[in-house]
Amino acid sequence: ISLPSVLHSSQEGSDIVATRFGSAGDHGQVGIALRRSTDRGLTFLPRQDVWRETNHTIGNPAPIWNRRTGEVVLLFSRDNKEVWVMSSKTRGRSWSKPRNISAATVPYAKDWEWVATGPGGGVQIERGPHAGRLVQCCDHMQCSSRGGCKDVTVQEPWNFSHKGSHTIFSDNDGLHWQLGAVVGNGGEVWGGECSVAMQPSTDDKHDRLVMAIERDKGAEFAGQDRAFAMSTSGGASFESLQWNDTV
C-alpha cells in the first residue's frame, strides 16, 4: 500500500482514505482501494477495493470533494500514461464506471510519455470567478529528442528531456476536463510530483491557488527539492516558480 490520499467531506463527518495496493513500485499489478470513516477518522471500515485491471497499473488516486453536488470525484493514472476519472454519489460506498479523459488532458503531441495524478487529492475553488472549478495537480515526463524514451512500463531510468508539473481542471462538476497550466516545462527549472491548495485573497472575495512541487530536479534548484507557484486564474496559469528553503 502506498500513496494514500485523505479526503474529508462535510456530509455526516465522513472521511475517505484512498490508496493504491499491490506492487510497491511505480509499475506492475496495482489497484485502488479505500477505507471509509463515519466518525471523523476515529475508526475506519474494512478495506474496499475500488478499481483494478489485470496486467495494468491503476494508481495515484486523487479524490476531490465536490461541495456543489455532494459527489466524490476520483482521478487516477492508468499505466502511468493515461488519466481516468470516476465518481461516487454515496460518499465512496459505490462508484461510477471509470472514464478515460486522456484525450483532453494529456498532450501526446508533445511526447509526454509519463503522466501521473497527484500524489494527493485536488481542490474545489470556493470563491471568485472560478468558483466551483475542480483542480488537480499532476506531473509528467517528456521524451528526449536524442533517441526517444525507453519503455517506461518495464525499466528505469528514463531517457526524458524534462520533468514538469501541470494542472487539469473541470468547470462542470467533473463531466469534462481540460489541461491547465504547465509549470517547469523544460529550461533550467523542472517540475515534479505536486499538490495544490487554496489560499484566500487579501480582499477575501476570491481564492488563489498554491502549487507545491516536491522533488524538483531542475538545474536552477540543484540540490533543492521544494518549489511553489501562485495562480489567480483558477489553475489555468501560474506565476514563476519560487524556491522555499523553509519547507
Side-chain angles (χ1 to χ4, degrees):
I1 294 178
S2 62
L3 300 179
S5 181
V6 181
L7 177 71
H8 173 74
S9 71
S10 58
Q11 293 188 359
E12 299 180 2
S14 60
D15 294 276
I16 295 174
V17 178
T19 186
R20 47 175 282 172
F21 68 93
S23 171
D26 288 333
H27 316 293
Q29 183 69 60
V30 177
I32 295 175
L34 63 80
R35 295 188 68 178
R36 295 188 302 110
S37 171
T38 57
D39 54 12
R40 300 185 182 276
L42 294 177
T43 61
F44 281 85
L45 299 173
R47 191 183 92 174
Q48 173 187 338
D49 290 353
V50 176
W51 190 256
R52 66 185 304 175
E53 296 181 44
T54 303
N55 298 324
H56 287 281
T57 301
I58 309 297
N60 282 53
I64 306 175
W65 169 246
N66 189 336
R67 295 173 178 82
R68 187 160 59 186
T69 65
E71 292 182 312
V72 178
V73 177
L74 182 64
L75 295 150
F76 63 88
S77 305
R78 184 178 187 268
D79 294 332
N80 302 310
K81 290 187 176 183
E82 299 173 348
V83 178
W84 289 58
V85 65
M86 59 200 308
S87 61
S88 172
K89 297 181 179 180
T90 59
R91 294 181 290 283
R93 296 182 183 89
S94 59
W95 294 86
S96 66
K97 184 178 179 180
R99 296 184 293 114
N100 187 349
I101 58 172
S102 302
T105 60
V106 182
Y108 292 111
K110 295 182 179 295
D111 295 325
W112 285 17
E113 283 293 320
W114 168 285
V115 177
T117 47
V123 298
Q124 183 178 45
I125 298 175
E126 298 181 11
R127 296 170 296 185
H130 306 293
R133 173 175 289 181
L134 307 178
V135 185
Q136 176 62 44
C137 204
C138 309
D139 70 274
H140 61 272
M141 298 182 191
Q142 183 171 337
C143 277
S144 170
S145 60
R146 303 183 303 274
C149 290
K150 296 180 180 179
D151 185 349
V152 300
T153 63
V154 296
Q155 57 184 325
E156 302 179 35
W158 307 284
N159 181 25
F160 55 87
S161 58
H162 77 268
K163 285 185 69 174
S165 302
H166 64 280
T167 58
I168 60 175
F169 64 85
S170 171
D171 286 322
N172 57 359
D173 301 316
L175 181 61
H176 299 103
W177 292 81
Q178 65 185 76
L179 179 67
V182 178
V183 179
N185 192 28
E188 294 298 312
V189 180
W190 291 12
E193 294 176 345
C194 57
S195 57
V196 66
M198 287 188 299
Q199 181 185 68
S201 65
T202 55
D203 60 14
D204 206 35
K205 293 182 179 180
H206 65 274
D207 295 320
R208 296 190 300 175
L209 292 178
V210 181
M211 176 189 286
I213 297 178
E214 302 88 19
R215 300 196 287 187
D216 179 276
K217 299 302 180 185
E220 181 176 322
F221 294 153
Q224 303 172 338
D225 292 320
R226 300 292 184 269
F228 298 84
M230 302 293 298
S231 173
T232 57
S233 61
S237 62
F238 279 82
E239 300 170 4
S240 59
L241 286 174
Q242 300 293 324
W243 166 249
N244 189 320
D245 59 4
T246 64
V247 177

